Amino acid sequence: MTIYTQQISGTTYQFDSLVELMAKATPLRSGDELAGCAAQSDAERAAAQWALSEVSLGVFLQDLVVPYESDEVTRLIIDSHDRVAFGAVSHLTVGGLRDWLLNTAASTSAAATLRAVAPGLTPEMVAAVSKIMRNQDLIAVARAVEVTAAFRTTIGLPGTLATRLQPNHPTDDPRGIAAATLDGLLLGSGDAVIGINPATDSPHATSDLLHLLDDIRQRFEIPTQSCVLSHVTTTMELIEKGVPVDLVFQSVAGTEGANSGFGVDVSLLREANEAGRSLHRGTVGNNVMYLETGQGSALSAGAYLGMGGKPVDQQTLETRAYAVCRDLEPLLVNTVVGFIGPEYLYDGKQIIRAGLEDHFCGKLLGLPMGVDVCYTNHAEADQDDMDTLLTLLGAAGVAFVIAVPGADDVMLGYQSSSFHDVLYVRQVLGLKPAPEFAVWLDRLGMVDSHGRILDVDATGSPLRALTGTR
């Protein structure tokens, strides 16, 4: 096990392993303090970042953060690593990779070059380079990466911002869900997915909700996909019964132990992916998985220890979850960045930084990456912080965000983005919905010649087009 040292202003800092070095180099967050692996001072953090910048990328293939023998996520990362793609950057250090990424992002061939190198990058390499990058670096590189996926709409095209319309209801009341869905559709949301977090994981209740969403989609000929975010085994059971399932959802994490806490493993997820694809319900593609992640999930599950029993920082573990996602070729991946609570991301600054890191890391690894721009009410954050993060993510080319009525999810009890927030960021940054959804909005007379959503005025024309009222 390698010992890393760095001297700053006459003080020598020592880091006893790559696990410790990665943790100490991470920008401050409450979850790492809770785990006991955060740097003790800004000087120690700077020393760790300096030392990390000099680590060769090849080290990450030998000095593993979580043991290969006891963790299937590590085995997936190592066994699926593309050494041919890695050849383009194999001679670099972490600091050299940062420079290479920034230079590549400024080139005319950025998208193709970054797409080609993605299979050669491991999550640990990507997490490491993110730790020595400024926010503007994360934005500039992520914007240059192009990742698309498709089902009934195409997600991730340059110049677009899709949304998950999230019509949650505390009792799964069909009338409340339908009202929230109508609200979102009238404001141009729902092109990534109309997705419900059910109040119960009952197969019967999940089936009812799937039928409700599919009836709405078919009645109004909406080019989108639906999803009820039940456990993957519930969804697989419903697929066997012929229930109209579009996307297969599951929360995933970056260690075998944390995924076991979610009741899944890689084999089960692959089986679910094949079950969803076997239905062939997509029209422009057959990416069927919808996966959610979030910094702190492995720590909250007590499954965060790495080599030598040392705690692994939560951002590195989050990035390892993207290896699981990448294996499944999903339609949608999003980090619920501030949802787990202030124990893991304490305030607005930490949430903003984590959101940019997660988006950068996921997209660089080849995922159609979205972010739930959110916080819990007991965090030291507010909607101004979310405005900032939403705007930065829009500039960074985020594939999609989550939108709920009034930015307040009354079922899950947290704050997210509203339908109006999405209109704001699309207008300010010149972004459009997914192309298939944009055509539908135009056909119903819901947008003007510039693609902007029309107000429902006294004539009620968009509302009449959608509801059939006179």
Side-chain angles (χ1 to χ4, degrees), residues 39 42 45 83 340 356 367 400 461:
D42 290 339
R45 184 173 300 106
R83 290 185 176 270
I340 302 180
L356 294 176
L367 295 174
F400 73 101
S461 55

Side-chain angles (χ1 to χ4, degrees), residues 12 151 156 299 428 464:
T12 299
F151 190 74
L299 176 57
V428 168
R464 189 165 62 246

Side-chain angles (χ1 to χ4, degrees), residues 244-272:
V245 172
D246 286 344
L247 304 187
V248 180
F249 170 82
Q250 185 56 48
S251 296
V252 297
T255 65
E256 180 177 336
N259 283 324
S260 178
F262 285 136
V264 299
D265 58 23
V266 172
S267 176
L268 178 63
L269 292 169
R270 288 172 174 169
E271 182 182 351

Side-chain angles (χ1 to χ4, degrees), residues 38-254:
Q40 297 300 303
S41 65
D42 290 339
E44 185 182 27
R45 184 173 300 106
Q49 290 172 338
W50 192 342
L52 181 61
S53 74
E54 296 175 345
V55 175
S56 296
L57 295 182
V59 168
F60 293 93
L61 299 174
Q62 306 299 325
D63 194 353
L64 304 181
V65 170
V66 181
Y68 181 94
E69 296 76 16
S70 60
D71 189 276
E72 71 167 2
V73 178
T74 300
R75 293 194 292 275
L76 175 64
I77 291 168
I78 297 301
D79 294 350
S80 64
H81 180 245
D82 188 331
R83 290 185 176 270
V84 174
F86 180 55
V89 294
S90 60
H91 60 290
L92 299 175
T93 62
V94 172
L97 177 60
R98 172 187 176 272
D99 294 342
W100 183 88
L101 288 170
L102 290 169
N103 287 332
T104 300
S107 71
T108 56
S109 60
T113 303
L114 293 171
R115 186 182 305 113
V117 81
L121 299 175
T122 69
E124 290 84 354
M125 294 174 193
V126 172
V129 75
S130 75
K131 297 175 191 298
I132 64 168
M133 297 175 80
R134 292 171 56 186
N135 286 359
Q136 66 173 258
D137 299 340
L138 299 175
I139 294 167
V141 175
R143 184 178 179 84
V145 180
E146 295 180 12
V147 181
T148 60
F151 190 74
R152 292 194 191 96
T153 56
T154 305
I155 305 301
L157 288 170
T160 65
L161 172 63
T163 64
R164 169 185 163 191
L165 197 172
Q166 183 168 292
N168 292 347
H169 191 278
T171 63
D172 290 339
D173 185 334
R175 294 168 300 176
I177 290 170
T181 300
L182 176 62
D183 186 22
L185 290 170
L186 285 167
L187 292 169
S189 283
D191 45 339
V193 64
I194 303 174
I196 301 171
N197 294 92
T200 171
D201 201 46
S202 151
H204 178 75
T206 300
S207 176
D208 287 345
L209 292 174
L210 284 167
H211 279 289
L212 171 65
L213 292 181
D214 199 55
D215 288 346
I216 292 171
R217 180 187 64 80
Q218 292 195 61
R219 177 181 176 186
F220 302 119
E221 300 178 332
I222 309 169
T224 190
Q225 35 281 333
S226 63
C227 186
V228 176
L229 281 65
S230 296
H231 191 269
V232 66
T233 53
T234 301
T235 304
M236 292 169 69
E237 177 184 335
L238 295 177
I239 288 174
E240 292 179 358
K241 293 181 177 179
V243 175
V245 172
D246 286 344
L247 304 187
V248 180
F249 170 82
Q250 185 56 48
S251 296
V252 297

